[in-house]
Structures are given as C-alpha cells and as structure tokens.
Amino acid sequence: MREMIFEKKRPGAKPGARFAVLFGAAFAAFGSAPLQADPMHGVDVYRADGHAPMGVMGDHMHKTGEMMMSFRQMHMEMEGNRSGTSSISAEEIATSVPNVHFGKPMQPPTLRVVPQEMSMDMYMAGFMYAPSDWLTLTAMGMYLEKEMEALTFQGMAGTARLGTFTTRSSGFGDTKVAGLLRLDHSETRQVHLNLGLSLPTGSITEEDDVLTPMNTRPVMRLPYGMQLGSGTFDLEPGITYTDRQGDFSWGGQARATLRLGSNDEGYAFGDIGRLTGWAAYQWAPWISTSLRALGEVEGSIDGQDARIAGPTQAADPANYGGKRIMLSAGVNLIGQSDTLDGALAGHRLGIEFGLPAYQDLNGPQMERDWTLTIGWQKSF
C-alpha cells in the first residue's frame, strides 16, 4: 500500500479502544469452542491458520465454485518527520529545507508549513470466486478517510509559530481486480501467481482550506498523499507461497505495483516493491497467532501537478517513497461447527498490529508510527 500523508486522531473513541472492544467480544465468542473438535460426532474442523495474517492480500485460492466475502479496516498513525534515517524537527525544516516552488509568487525560499500528525482509515470490501481449481478471481473496493494536522510558521523566514490547521479528504479509492493462477498444490503446500490491476477510481483533485504563512485561509488542492487514488492504471504482479507442518505454518509473498504512464494531472506515484514473510502457530483449531516481516521499497513521484504548489514538504514530488521494514504480530480466529450451535462456523476474524523496524525516507516526510488491521472473511 502506498504511503500517504494522513490523519490526526479524531475526537471520541480512540481506534485502539474500538478494536479492543471488538477483539474482546470476538475472542469470547470464538473461544467457546472446545480445544479439539470431535470427529466421532461429525463436527467440521476449520483451521485458524488456513489463511495468512490479515494484512496479507491474495494469499490463498479456492476450489471450483467456491466464493468468499471479506471486509477489512486498516488504521495507520504517523507522527514526526524523518529525512533519510534521521528524525528532523519542524524548526529545522522551516529554516533549512529548500522550497521547490521558490520563485513563484508568494513562495518563500524554505518550507514554512510542516505536517505534524497524520493518520488514515481504509475500509476494504473484497470478493473472491473460483471458476476452476487453478484460477481464483478477486475484486476489492475501498473507502478512505484522511486527515493531516500541519504547523504553519509566520512570514517568509524565522521560527515564529503562527498556528496549526487540519485538512481532510474522504471518499472511494482505487478499485483492484486480480486473478490468482495456481502453479503448485499439495495437501499442505500451495504456490500461485498474483496477476492484478488497480483501476483509477479514486479522486486526485481533493481540496481544503489551509493556513498560509501570511495568515490567510485559501482553498487549495491538497498534497499528493492526501488524494484518494493514484490516477493511473497500475499493474500488480506477484507470487505467493504457503506451507504447513502440523500446527506450524509459514509463507512468503513478493508483489509489485507498476505505474502505467502518468495521470490526467501530469504525474505518477513511484513504483513499489514488497517482500513479506510470516510464520504462524495454531494453538487450537479456532485460534492461531503469527509473526510477520514486511520490506518495502517505493520510488518518488514522477512529474508534478501544477495545482499542488505550496511551501510544504508534501507538495514536493521528491519527498515521497523510500525504504521500510515493518514487523507485525497477529491473531486469527475461526468459528467451529460446535460454536454457538454453528452460528459462527467458518466465520474468520483476523487482527494484526505492526510497528516500523527501519525507515529510510526520501527527503523530509512523515514517519510511520503503527498500523492496525482487523478483518472478517467467510467462504460459501
């Protein structure tokens, strides 16, 4: 997923608290199943580790005629700025980082508007259908909510703080379709190709009012990371491997996002390469836990939107992308046939929490703090 420059916390219940309540209720319900199902009574056993951690997309295939519905929410928090591998203060950015738009009317020589706290909520609805054992078709739509709180410094130079402001954008994002093509399959092992395409259904012309160094509040086009889509058709090829031995399972996935040309505003986000691997242990048929590592390399933006121009790092196409390593811990729960009289049989709930282990970012930009993904899946 592309790093975007995103949200401040909203008032009201914190995301972590909301997830904790959902997790507690789900754990109580799923946990009412016995540790081992009894085959003598014809009870269907579902494996909690039958799917990858919830943050991994396109990890499994289905049998002929089978379909699956899914819903995920991913929350990301970002705070503070980093250039390369080092943190950088707002005052240092405001006094020493050149403004790429300097020379245009009312543009100071250095950056004067610095993002402080950001977050994003992404809601993803997915559908999978297998017309044959060797091919599974997938589609996913998403809705995004973003906010960014920024600090404005007064005037053309100096470190006097004028104030903070918050910008917001929300709406449908890009739509993703894919085909999963089986290469190898046994009772425990599976290898398949991920052949995906991202369709540019998300807006790239979002606007909001901003606080300028001259203490005015014009409505301007929001920076690249606050837009809702890429504006380009993107190829998303990949390959996925999964295996298991008894109660242990593991897997790996390599995927890329390759931009096909520029969008209508004259730019394209950078290509992305991702490599992830995970291991899981199934404690009982209804519960497994996992550890996962994700490495990501992302290029800077190619081109420029002429209407995204301001004394902020987020308006500079060079200040996007970089290298990251994320470490995540997760839990998968799945209802068994003897759970609540079978009402939850086959319903899968997954939760995954991630923290950055390494970040080397292109130019000054927001650094990632943590991510939290919760999702539901059910096959039919």
Side-chain angles (χ1 to χ4, degrees):
M1 187 182 84
R2 161 157 310 280
E3 174 192 331
M4 298 189 179
I5 303 207
F6 312 121
E7 288 194 2
K8 186 178 182 289
K9 305 177 186 71
R10 298 181 184 81
K14 294 183 178 180
R18 296 197 299 267
F19 283 121
V21 172
L22 289 172
F23 175 76
F27 189 86
F30 284 89
S32 62
L35 291 180
Q36 296 291 335
D38 184 1
M40 297 297 293
H41 293 83
V43 175
D44 291 329
V45 178
Y46 301 90
R47 290 189 65 99
D49 65 347
H51 292 185
M54 192 53 67
V56 181
M57 309 289 182
D59 63 289
H60 67 279
M61 297 184 64
H62 290 271
K63 297 179 181 179
T64 300
E66 190 175 53
M67 64 183 67
M68 190 188 80
M69 302 291 293
S70 67
F71 180 81
R72 290 177 174 89
Q73 180 185 357
M74 192 276 283
H75 181 84
M76 179 188 295
E77 287 285 344
M78 307 174 76
E79 183 175 1
N81 289 281
R82 181 180 293 258
S83 182
T85 59
S86 302
S87 297
I88 183 170
S89 69
E91 281 74 16
E92 187 176 356
I93 291 173
T95 57
S96 65
V97 178
N99 176 15
V100 70
H101 302 290
F102 178 55
K104 300 177 182 178
M106 303 301 295
Q107 290 287 345
T110 60
L111 303 182
R112 307 296 291 161
V113 179
V114 183
Q116 296 290 284
E117 297 183 29
M118 310 175 191
S119 62
M120 176 188 68
D121 282 298
M122 180 183 297
Y123 305 90
M124 297 164 281
F127 175 76
M128 304 179 76
Y129 173 71
S132 70
D133 283 348
W134 59 270
L135 176 65
T136 296
L137 304 176
T138 75
M140 185 177 71
M142 63 185 72
Y143 186 90
L144 299 99
E145 296 177 341
K146 305 180 187 180
E147 291 179 3
M148 177 175 71
E149 184 182 87
L151 168 65
T152 300
F153 288 88
Q154 187 172 12
M156 303 290 281
T159 57
R161 296 189 172 199
L162 180 61
T164 61
F165 67 97
T166 301
T167 56
R168 299 176 177 87
S169 62
S170 61
F172 290 102
D174 291 344
T175 302
K176 299 180 183 294
V177 295
L180 310 182
L181 184 64
R182 177 165 289 151
L183 297 180
D184 187 25
H185 179 70
S186 70
E187 184 177 349
T188 62
R189 183 185 67 254
Q190 179 171 284
V191 183
H192 66 263
L193 292 177
N194 302 73
L195 305 174
L197 179 66
S198 179
L199 310 177
T201 54
S203 170
I204 57 171
T205 58
E206 296 296 297
E207 297 181 337
D208 206 347
D209 63 294
V210 302
L211 175 62
T212 73
M214 300 300 131
N215 201 23
T216 60
R217 297 295 298 251
V219 174
M220 301 182 65
R221 181 164 293 180
L222 292 174
Y224 304 97
M226 288 293 290
Q227 300 301 327
L228 303 175
S230 69
T232 55
F233 288 90
D234 306 326
L235 288 179
E236 297 188 330
I239 187 169
T240 304
Y241 163 84
T242 58
D243 205 343
R244 73 171 187 264
Q245 185 69 41
D247 289 326
F248 287 95
S249 60
W250 57 93
Q253 184 182 80
R255 299 191 69 171
T257 299
L258 308 175
R259 315 296 177 181
L260 301 180
S262 298
N263 58 34
D264 292 341
E265 302 303 317
Y267 68 92
F269 283 106
D271 294 340
I272 307 173
R274 298 183 181 92
L275 180 64
T276 189
W278 65 90
Y281 182 77
Q282 181 173 265
W283 302 91
W286 59 274
I287 183 170
S288 66
T289 54
S290 62
L291 294 174
R292 182 166 71 97
L294 167 67
E296 183 177 81
V297 179
E298 180 181 355
S300 57
I301 293 174
D302 183 22
Q304 182 176 336
D305 183 341
R307 295 190 60 185
I308 299 178
T312 176
Q313 64 205 47
D316 185 346
N319 293 333
Y320 285 81
K323 303 179 182 68
R324 295 178 188 81
I325 297 175
M326 298 286 294
L327 300 179
S328 303
V331 59
N332 278 356
L333 306 170
I334 188 165
Q336 303 296 316
S337 296
D338 54 355
T339 304
L340 300 180
D341 295 327
L344 293 180
H347 288 266
R348 182 183 302 272
L349 179 71
I351 300 173
E352 190 175 36
F353 178 77
L355 293 171
Y358 175 80
Q359 298 185 78
D360 183 1
L361 307 182
N362 297 336
Q365 57 177 285
M366 293 295 294
E367 56 184 357
R368 196 173 298 175
D369 274 5
W370 55 270
T371 62
L372 184 61
T373 303
I374 183 170
W376 164 86
Q377 298 170 324
K378 178 66 169 70
S379 296
F380 302 91

